Each structure stands twice: as structure tokens, then as C-alpha cells.
Amino acid sequence: MEDEPERSFGFLHINERCGKPRLIGVTEIRGPYYTPLGKRALLDILETMGAYIDIFKFSGGSFSLMPESSVRALIDTCHSHDVLVSTGGFIEHVLTMGPEAVDGYLKECKRLGFDVVEVSSGFIAIPDDDLVRLVEKVRNLDMLPKPEVGIQFGAGGASSVAELAADGVSDPSRAIRQAKRYLEAGAHLVMIESEGITEQVTSWRTDVPARFINELGLDKVMFEAADPEVFSWYVKSYGPEVNLFVDHSQIVQLECLRSGIWGTKSTWGRVVTYKGSGKAVPSKVIPVRHIPNHPKARGAV
């Protein structure tokens, strides 16, 4: 991929962002789900904001309803802008069809050029050991497994608050144990489901994200935050380099917030970063550890 074009108004300061492949401040956007999204609309998004998008996610198995040529066009368009492509959580539907269907699904994902396979189980009861095996299988196929964990059974299907409340929520410690096993099995990042935390609840469980971050590290988790009020809270609470999933329609608003150039009453002018002045550090002073620039490799985030 050619170097990104120079930003307009480049003389104006914005918060510095790591270049791709990013390990922090990763942004995943939702693709076709609530509305169709084809190559031409995606090109508009990537030509203007592609530098800030790391992963493009098909949701709800939408790719299984589309012509293969359209799926390939979306994947190729993302790759031409250095954006990885994720399957979304469709594998939990495929799991209900048996092992042969799962094997066929993963091989087809590989053939079509998907980079990331989300391993989710919001609607099904399945042993943790089986999900670990799936993570390892995805890794062995040279794709990136991205497991999803949460505290709410039945999450992800726009269920009502009353329906989810009737099922109750699980102790976050179980989801944290699951996440640790998935990371040990080769997952590069774990998605934290929003239901039960900031979505479909009467009051936010702000203690839960803190527990995930404290136990796993900010760079190992991504939070579902497809609501401006939610992603603003995450940036306010954990800084502009928190990993977030938003709708494709929200990428400009999120990046204005991350970069510190705009915001709401509670965030305007308050989101900042400090990467150092660039001056030489005296030899007797121990420098602050910095994040090195990693060589660009396909499949790294």
C-alpha cells in the first residue's frame, strides 16, 4: 500500500496516533448489517478516513447473503487500504450445524481472504475447551482469532432489557478466565460484549471494563461501543488509545475525539497524549519506555 496522503491542515496539532499495524488505539468498524454497504460506499469511507480504521467487520453473517463477487470486492477494497477484514460472530450460528460445517466455514473464510475470525458464543452454551480449540484452529489456518466474551447470555441479538434481565448476568471473573485462556491459545485481541455492561441495561456496569483492563491489559481488549455516549466514556476513562468497535457511520466522530480536535461538553479540549519532545535524553536519565515501530506484517494489528 502506498503511503497515506498528507493530512490537510497538517500544521495544526492533533494527538499523535501510532501507524498501522496498530497495537493500541485500534478501531474496528461495523460493515453491512443495519444498512447495506457496498464497494462504492466503502471507498468513500476509506478514501477519507481509512488511515484511522484497522478492522472492517461483517455483522450478522451478512456476507452469506451477498454475491461472492461483492464480498471479494469489499475484502479487496479493505486490503488496498491496509484494513483487516473480520467475519463477525457468525461462527456461533455455524456451530449449531456440526463440526463439518465449521471446518467448511473456516476454509471458506481463508479462501475468500478474511483476516480475522471472531469466535463468539453469546447465544449458545458451549464448553470453554471447545472455544479454545476453535481459537487454535483459526490460528493454525493463518488467520487471526478474535474471541468475544461477556457477562450477558443471549447478547448480540437486540434483545430487550427485560428479556436480558430475566436471564441475569454472570460474574465477570468467568469471562476474564475465558479471555486469559484464549490469549494463551493465540488470540491477538479479545472483544468485550457490551450487553450487560453499557447496552440494554438500566444502569452501566462501569466496574466491569475496569476489571477486564486490570486483569488483561488495555492492549489486549476491545470494547463494543457503537453509541457515541459509550465510546466517549471509554475515551474519557481510559484515554484515546483504548481499542473500540463502532458503527462505520461513527468513525469521523470517534476520530475527532481520539485526536483531541472536537468533542462534547465533557470532552472538548480534554483528550490529550504525550509522546515526548523528541529531544535527546541525558545519559544519566533513564528514558521512559516507548512503544517501538513494528515492521509491517500482514495480519498484525
Side-chain angles (χ1 to χ4, degrees):
M1 177 183 173
E2 297 180 359
D3 292 337
E4 292 290 343
E6 185 177 348
R7 177 175 60 87
S8 63
F9 293 86
F11 59 91
L12 296 177
H13 171 77
I14 64 172
N15 291 332
E16 294 182 43
R17 295 276 268 128
C18 298
K20 297 181 185 180
R22 276 185 278 267
L23 299 177
I24 54 175
V26 175
T27 298
E28 179 174 309
I29 64 168
R30 180 193 287 121
Y33 183 55
Y34 293 116
T35 60
L37 182 67
K39 176 182 177 180
R40 288 175 291 277
L42 179 60
L43 267 174
D44 284 341
I45 295 170
L46 296 181
E47 286 176 353
T48 55
M49 299 297 291
Y52 312 107
I53 299 169
D54 301 282
I55 308 173
F56 174 88
K57 171 179 173 176
F58 284 90
S59 294
S62 55
F63 48 77
S64 67
L65 302 176
M66 300 165 59
E68 181 177 317
S69 58
S70 297
V71 175
R72 283 186 174 275
L74 288 171
I75 292 173
D76 291 345
T77 300
C78 286
H79 288 168
S80 70
H81 288 80
D82 209 15
V83 174
L84 303 179
V85 183
S86 171
T87 62
F90 192 57
I91 197 168
E92 63 185 284
H93 171 66
V94 181
L95 278 164
T96 65
M97 303 177 186
E100 291 184 359
V102 173
D103 291 345
Y105 170 72
L106 293 178
K107 289 178 182 177
E108 185 71 354
C109 290
K110 177 69 176 177
R111 184 183 73 85
L112 290 173
F114 282 91
D115 307 285
V116 180
V117 175
E118 188 172 300
V119 180
S120 60
S121 57
F123 281 96
I124 57 176
I126 181 171
D128 292 349
D129 288 348
D130 293 3
L131 294 174
V132 169
R133 273 189 282 274
L134 273 175
V135 168
E136 293 171 342
K137 187 174 184 65
V138 171
R139 194 69 187 172
N140 289 337
L141 287 170
D142 197 29
M143 293 183 288
L144 295 171
K146 187 153 76 65
E148 183 179 63
V149 300
I151 64 172
Q152 177 72 68
F153 184 80
S159 301
S160 69
V161 174
E163 287 177 309
L164 294 179
D167 281 332
V169 296
S170 61
D171 189 315
S173 60
R174 179 178 185 272
I176 291 170
R177 286 195 301 271
Q178 288 177 312
K180 287 180 177 179
R181 292 193 64 189
Y182 301 149
L183 291 169
E184 291 170 358
H188 74 296
L189 200 61
V190 175
M191 176 76 86
I192 311 301
E193 177 68 64
S194 58
E195 275 95 345
I197 301 176
T198 58
E199 184 179 351
Q200 301 298 83
V201 291
T202 54
S203 61
W204 290 4
R205 288 286 307 277
T206 56
D207 60 306
V208 176
R211 290 185 62 180
F212 277 109
I213 291 170
N214 290 340
E215 292 281 345
L216 304 175
L218 190 65
D219 62 321
K220 296 298 183 184
V221 292
M222 172 179 282
F223 295 99
E224 284 194 341
D227 182 296
E229 186 178 5
V230 174
F231 64 67
S232 294
W233 178 82
Y234 275 113
V235 171
K236 275 197 300 182
S237 301
Y238 298 106
E241 292 174 344
V242 60
N243 302 321
L244 295 171
F245 166 75
V246 300
D247 190 70
H248 65 267
S249 63
Q250 299 164 333
I251 180 59
V252 178
Q253 186 176 0
L254 172 60
E255 198 56 38
C256 285
L257 182 61
R258 285 196 194 272
S259 65
I261 65 171
W262 206 253
T264 59
K265 179 181 178 181
S266 64
T267 56
W268 196 92
R270 293 179 171 90
V271 179
V272 299
T273 60
Y274 175 73
K275 305 300 182 185
S277 63
K279 297 179 180 178
V281 179
S283 58
K284 292 184 180 181
V285 177
I286 300 175
V288 176
R289 183 184 69 84
H290 72 284
I291 299 171
N293 292 320
H294 295 272
K296 183 175 291 187
R298 185 182 179 276
V301 176

